[in-house]
Amino acid sequence: MQFYLEPPYFLLVAGLFIGVTSGVAFEATLKELVQEWYRQRSSRTLATMQGSHLQVPYLGIAIGIALFLGSGLEIFGFSRFLSYAVALPLTVLTAWLVWSQLGKILVQLERGGSKAIDLDSIG
């Protein structure tokens, strides 16, 4: 039982596993969402299609990353309280920034198609 608590290697691996598996689910869901929109060109905008089917895997990514960061800091000798006091706000802020950027990219994709997001031409 001591292996699972001090240091928290199990939580580190579990957080990484949760983050990666949720990321794969998020990627598949986002690809499906964009392909469906591209085929139908429905009146619903891509930005408004960010429902629970996309938010749940994204929340899983955030939870996994928070566990991974907090456990990683704890392994390096920080107290449990300090580790998660740093990891949680950092994860929430980063997750919010990425989510808002995703919404902006989806709006840009809708307005200009895939040519609007041609990253190779930026330079």
Side-chain angles (χ1 to χ4, degrees):
M1 187 68 178
Q2 191 72 325
F3 173 76
Y4 295 112
L5 299 176
E6 290 292 331
Y9 294 123
F10 177 76
L11 287 178
L12 183 82
V13 173
L16 183 62
F17 179 75
I18 291 168
V20 169
T21 55
S22 296
V24 170
F26 180 77
E27 176 193 15
T29 305
L30 186 60
K31 281 182 180 179
E32 183 181 319
L33 175 76
V34 171
Q35 287 175 355
E36 176 187 331
W37 172 83
Y38 186 73
R39 273 185 266 131
Q40 296 178 356
R41 296 287 182 165
S42 66
S43 61
R44 288 180 16 181
T45 63
L46 278 172
T48 59
M49 294 174 83
Q50 298 177 7
S52 64
H53 57 281
L54 198 58
Q55 290 173 350
V56 170
Y58 192 75
L59 183 62
I61 293 171
I63 290 170
I65 296 303
L67 272 173
F68 181 78
L69 285 175
S71 301
L73 288 173
E74 196 173 344
I75 286 172
F76 284 107
F78 293 96
S79 70
R80 181 168 290 157
F81 176 77
L82 181 62
S83 296
Y84 288 100
V86 169
L88 288 175
L90 184 63
T91 303
V92 168
L93 177 65
T94 304
W96 177 75
L97 289 172
V98 170
W99 186 260
S100 66
Q101 188 66 31
L102 176 66
K104 291 176 186 176
I105 287 174
L106 290 177
V107 167
Q108 188 177 8
L109 177 66
E110 183 179 6
R111 288 185 183 154
S114 61
K115 295 176 202 158
I117 308 177
D118 185 16
L119 298 177
D120 294 332
S121 66
I122 298 173

